[in-house]
Amino acid sequence: MNTPARDDLFDVVIVGAGAAGVGVSVALGHAGIENFVVLERHSVGASFARWPAETRFITPSFPTNSVGMLDLNSVVIGTSAAVTLGVEHPTGREYAAFLRAIAKHFELPIQEGVDVLWIYRSGDEFVVETTAGHVRARHVIWAAGDFQYPRLNDFEGSELCLHTALLTSYAELDGDDFIVVGGYESGVDVASHLAERVRRVRLFDRGRPWASESSDPSVALSTFSLERTRRPSYAEHVELFPDTTVTAVATAYAGFEVATDDGLVFHTPVPPLLAGGFAGSHPLVMDHFESREDGFPLLNKHDESTTVPGIYLCGASVRHDKHIFCFIYKYRQRFAVVAKAIATSLGLPAEGLEMYRMWGMYLDDLSCCGQECVC
């Protein structure tokens, strides 16, 4: 990995070397931008590497085919996690290895072990203060991801729970009677693995994502998860509590009590498992963005801040109107948009990005938003 001098003025600083950071870095190269650096707090793909060992991608990986469609989990045109890894549903550790292989192949200028502390505008430049000193840049792409920021404070006593994202393996869980709070992908994942180990599971969710009629996996369970809910072990050992909001968790004699909004109290001998998703990294830079009604950053059509020109958002926190770009195959559609906007501001023709258009990816607008296959 390259190690540029800290006093250089970079055209772009990318924060984060996960799927978003690696993917948009390659897009910058295709746009003709060479003077950039990627700052990564840990190592390439570290958030994926910390997934529970049993957790797999809910979207399938498959070889790139003759009509040019990308592997759903690929972040670079012409690559395939399925080909590289030889698996259909990669684990987090396997996917991290895939990202590292891409970073090595494209010789991306990634600096690992550099934590970004804050970002501020100074004249026509950005100053990015890090644990290794400051970096100056004309543009900043925030691609720090979600998985390092589990949502931990949804209700009173939530600190008594174990967030599923903080487990290294479901096999490390002791006990035979579990309560899981959250019935979306993470909740079903842990419930299905515990059920296979013949453990009792009570699964609480404020809605019922397993029964959603939507085809958008941002709000409904994936088929990969739905298939697991139909296994005999799941039906036998998992009890569902739909439309039930957990309001508090407290310690009790020989365990914990879980209170719900309908006045019921449930007992479990082990800490409840919290599968409430992730807060995301965007709150760390919200001072550079206007806020949408849902709390996510307001972006222009280039995924740029509407208040601080030159800072862009890339990854699972991208929102446009009612469209949620929370999966890799969704937010990767925006890589070329960001790369072209920055290249244009630098006076570069960005001709290398035309290949993205041929592959059905965005270049300069939101014309594809609303297509079921993307959004």
Side-chain angles (χ1 to χ4, degrees):
M1 301 294 180
N2 296 334
T3 307
R6 289 293 172 178
D7 289 333
D8 290 347
L9 174 62
F10 294 101
D11 288 329
V12 190
V13 165
I14 301 171
V15 181
V22 168
V24 78
S25 294
V26 176
L28 289 182
H30 289 155
I33 301 170
E34 299 179 352
N35 181 31
F36 68 91
V37 66
V38 186
L39 305 179
E40 165 57 41
R41 165 193 264 173
H42 299 297
S43 58
V44 175
S47 294
F48 294 100
R50 284 198 291 271
W51 279 8
E54 300 86 348
T55 297
R56 293 180 173 270
F57 270 66
I58 58 176
T59 47
S61 293
F62 44 82
T64 300
N65 62 40
S66 59
V67 296
M69 295 299 293
L70 284 171
D71 180 328
L72 288 182
N73 297 319
S74 176
V75 292
V76 175
I77 288 175
T79 67
S80 168
V83 173
T84 301
L85 303 172
V87 295
E88 183 176 12
H89 292 275
T91 66
R93 290 169 177 80
E94 289 170 335
Y95 192 73
F98 171 62
L99 293 178
R100 290 195 296 271
I102 292 175
K104 181 178 180 180
H105 175 77
F106 286 93
E107 299 182 345
L108 298 180
I110 298 174
Q111 293 195 20
E112 297 179 322
V114 178
D115 195 2
V116 172
L117 304 175
W118 65 85
I119 301 168
Y120 61 91
R121 185 96 189 204
S122 178
D124 295 331
E125 304 174 6
F126 288 94
V127 178
V128 182
E129 294 289 353
T130 79
T131 51
H134 72 271
V135 180
R136 297 162 51 231
R138 294 183 174 89
H139 307 85
V140 172
I141 300 175
W142 185 261
D146 282 3
F147 296 134
Q148 293 185 37
Y149 306 93
R151 187 177 292 114
L152 301 172
N153 301 305
D154 279 352
F155 50 81
E156 181 181 351
S158 58
E159 70 277 2
L160 300 173
C161 303
L162 293 176
H163 198 287
T164 56
L166 302 180
L167 300 172
T168 57
S169 170
Y170 297 142
E172 71 185 26
L173 295 172
D174 294 324
D176 55 12
D177 185 359
F178 294 88
I179 284 179
V180 178
V181 182
Y184 191 48
E185 300 292 353
S186 297
V188 169
D189 187 49
V190 64
S192 64
H193 284 291
L194 289 173
E196 289 177 356
R197 291 181 169 85
V198 196
R199 306 291 194 264
R200 180 195 183 196
V201 181
R202 286 167 286 176
L203 182 63
F204 294 80
D205 193 87
R206 65 187 64 184
R208 48 181 71 207
W210 50 80
S212 174
E213 296 181 356
S214 172
S215 60
D216 185 348
S218 299
V219 297
L221 284 181
S222 65
T223 54
F224 182 71
S225 294
L226 285 174
E227 287 179 356
R228 290 184 287 172
T229 67
R230 294 192 290 267
R231 293 176 181 172
S233 61
Y234 195 93
E236 181 178 356
H237 299 293
V238 179
E239 183 179 4
L240 300 176
F241 291 84
D243 305 316
T244 304
T245 300
V246 170
T247 57
V249 170
T251 56
Y253 176 72
F256 301 83
E257 288 184 344
V258 177
T260 64
D261 59 349
D262 52 8
L264 299 178
V265 176
F266 300 84
H267 181 269
T268 174
V270 296
L273 299 175
L274 183 57
F278 300 86
S281 65
H282 63 274
L284 301 176
V285 288
M286 281 304 295
D287 56 326
H288 295 291
F289 294 87
E290 290 183 89
S291 180
R292 291 162 41 107
E293 290 184 0
D294 60 8
F296 285 90
L298 181 65
L299 306 171
N300 66 19
K301 68 178 184 179
H302 305 301
D303 295 355
E304 182 181 19
S305 169
T306 56
T307 57
V308 183
I311 186 167
Y312 297 79
L313 183 66
C314 188
S317 296
V318 172
R319 302 287 188 274
H320 285 285
D321 298 323
K322 295 182 180 180
H323 303 305
I324 303 172
F325 292 80
C326 62
F327 285 93
I328 290 171
Y329 73 89
K330 289 185 174 186
Y331 65 70
R332 74 178 184 200
Q333 305 296 320
R334 308 299 300 169
F335 293 164
V337 174
V338 173
K340 183 177 181 181
I342 294 176
T344 299
S345 74
L346 294 171
L348 299 173
E351 295 174 350
L353 291 176
E354 285 303 314
M355 72 178 79
Y356 288 76
R357 193 188 304 278
M358 292 187 292
W359 286 65
M361 299 177 77
Y362 299 117
L363 277 184
D364 50 17
D365 57 34
L366 294 168
S367 61
C368 291
C369 265
Q371 287 189 11
E372 190 66 30
C373 63
V374 174
C375 301

